[in-house]
Amino acid sequence: QVQLVESGGGLVQPGGSLRLSCAASRSIFSVNAMGWYRQVPGKQRELVAALSSGSSTNYADSVKGRFTISRDMAKNTVYLQMNSLKPEDTAVYYCNLVILPWDYWGQGTQVTVSS
């Protein structure tokens, strides 16, 4: 069992930045993949950014060039650096870890982009 705790969400103006953190309760050295998803009311949860065990990354087209996913093995933490935020980035952001055959989710952190 793995517990994930997200932090770093909040209210930011358009054009601003936030860094989300996802702290895992165990080592992330052997995870198969990790990622960030987001969801707005009435819509399906969507992939924002993913990082494989081999360090390859994948981003939603809507965030390419603005968001960066990274990890700190020593801190068992995954990050999502979000720059040039737009109102349409407003959502609840969820951290996900895949340790086959299971995947684990955090509780979510709200990001609101508004002036």
Side-chain angles (χ1 to χ4, degrees):
Q1 190 73 5
V2 180
Q3 280 76 47
L4 303 175
V5 179
E6 296 125 335
S7 60
L11 174 64
V12 64
Q13 292 187 341
S17 298
L18 285 174
R19 188 178 78 158
L20 305 183
S21 300
C22 172
S25 60
R26 51 151 284 178
S27 170
I28 62 172
F29 181 78
S30 60
V31 300
N32 299 102
M34 55 204 81
W36 288 93
Y37 290 71
R38 65 188 181 189
Q39 188 170 25
V40 298
K43 292 191 175 181
Q44 286 191 328
R45 192 171 296 186
E46 64 173 0
L47 175 67
V48 176
L51 177 62
S52 74
S53 58
S55 299
S56 62
T57 56
N58 182 39
Y59 295 94
D61 287 342
S62 59
V63 308
K64 282 180 182 176
R66 300 188 297 123
F67 290 11
T68 303
I69 187 171
S70 63
R71 61 188 169 189
D72 186 329
M73 297 289 198
K75 296 182 178 180
N76 299 329
T77 300
V78 180
Y79 301 99
L80 184 68
Q81 178 66 45
M82 305 186 294
N83 299 328
S84 301
L85 283 160
K86 303 176 181 180
E88 53 263 42
D89 295 318
T90 296
V92 178
Y93 284 71
Y94 296 91
C95 175
N96 171 257
L97 259 61
V98 177
I99 305 173
L100 292 173
W102 301 278
D103 66 337
Y104 301 92
W105 294 91
Q107 81 285 356
T109 185
Q110 176 70 46
V111 172
T112 302
V113 185
S114 175
S115 55

